[in-house]
Amino acid sequence: MNLHPSNTDMKCHHSMHHAAENFIAGNDHYSLVELAAGHLIIRVPEKDQKAASKALKSVTKLTFPDTLSVQSNDNYSIYWIAPDEFLLLVPEHSEFEVETKLRKAMKGHFAIVNVTGGQTIIHLSGERAESIMKKSTVYDIHERNLPVGKAVTSGFAKSQAIFNRTGDNSFQLIVRRSFSDYIWQWIVDAGSRP
C-alpha cells in the first residue's frame, strides 16, 4: 500500500481543510483561519546563545527573544519557549533551506529539529476573539498581561497552545496537529455563543 499519495492525487489544502469544511468557522463576530508556515525548534544552551544569536541574525535578521516574548519581521517569527528552547516560524516550504543555513552558521552546542508536521497555526480575530480566548484558557489574556510581543505556553481548551496577541482583537495560536481539529471545533463552538 502506498501511504504517500502521488502528486496527481494530492489536494492543495492546509492540514485542517477537512475540519474547516465540516465546522465552518467565523461569523460577523470572529474569524478563524489556519496559517501556513514551517516550524523549527532550536535548542541552544544559555552559554552558547550569544554566538548562536549572531548566526540566527545572519539568516533571519532576528535574535533570540527575551523570556516569554516573540520577535517577528516580514518573513520570520521566533518564540521563547524555555531558557534553552525557541520556536522559529519560517515561510512555508523553506524550512529545509533555513535549517541548512542555520546549521552552517551556528557554532558550539545546538540542536535544530523540523517539527512542521507536528504543529499548525490558527489565527483568531474579531470583536469576539478575546471572549473566545477567555473561555478557552486559564491564562489571564488581558492586554496588560498579554500585550503584543509577549508569547506564552498554556492550557487551551483541554489541550495546550503557544499563543500571543497580534493586535487589539487578534491572537495567534500554535497547536499540535493531533489536537488541531478539536481546538478548531472548540473555537467554532465558543464563537457561536455570546
Side-chain angles (χ1 to χ4, degrees):
M1 177 185 293
N2 182 4
L3 298 178
H4 302 284
S6 69
N7 287 337
T8 56
D9 295 331
M10 292 178 70
K11 293 181 179 179
C12 293
H13 290 297
H14 295 296
S15 65
M16 295 179 58
H17 73 276
H18 54 282
E21 288 175 356
N22 294 320
F23 300 94
I24 306 302
N27 54 33
D28 291 342
H29 306 289
Y30 82 99
S31 172
L32 186 64
V33 295
E34 182 182 25
L35 303 177
H39 301 238
L40 299 173
I41 291 288
I42 303 173
R43 301 290 302 264
V44 182
E46 290 185 80
K47 65 182 179 64
D48 294 328
Q49 284 179 15
K50 187 173 182 180
S53 196
K54 288 180 183 176
L56 179 69
K57 189 169 187 174
S58 73
V59 175
T60 68
K61 308 296 186 246
L62 296 173
T63 57
F64 290 120
D66 294 329
T67 303
L68 295 176
S69 64
V70 59
Q71 290 186 19
S72 298
N73 60 26
D74 290 342
N75 295 311
Y76 304 98
S77 291
I78 187 159
Y79 289 71
W80 183 95
I81 304 296
D84 67 345
E85 182 177 352
F86 304 88
L87 171 63
L88 177 64
L89 299 180
V90 304
E92 187 178 25
H93 306 305
S94 73
E95 50 269 28
F96 178 75
E97 177 187 351
V98 173
E99 180 182 353
T100 301
K101 288 179 179 177
L102 284 171
R103 287 186 180 280
K104 287 180 181 175
M106 285 191 174
K107 307 291 184 226
H109 296 285
F110 67 90
I112 303 172
V113 180
N114 183 345
V115 295
T116 305
Q119 298 182 161
T120 192
I121 306 167
I122 297 172
H123 187 256
L124 172 64
S125 62
E127 66 182 37
R128 203 171 279 175
E130 190 159 320
S131 172
I132 292 169
M133 291 294 291
K134 288 178 181 176
K135 294 176 189 178
S136 305
T137 182
V138 297
Y139 190 83
D140 179 5
I141 58 115
H142 190 280
E143 62 185 342
R144 72 175 171 268
N145 195 51
L146 186 68
V148 172
K150 183 175 182 180
V152 298
T153 302
S154 185
F156 189 90
K158 294 183 180 178
S159 181
Q160 177 181 308
I162 302 165
F163 53 83
N164 64 297
R165 182 185 295 272
T166 57
D168 288 342
N169 292 301
S170 177
F171 299 87
Q172 189 165 280
L173 297 95
I174 300 166
V175 299
R176 292 181 185 170
R177 284 194 197 274
S178 56
F179 287 97
S180 60
D181 287 10
Y182 160 73
I183 289 175
W184 184 276
Q185 291 175 53
W186 174 285
I187 293 173
V188 168
D189 182 66
S192 69
R193 305 164 191 264

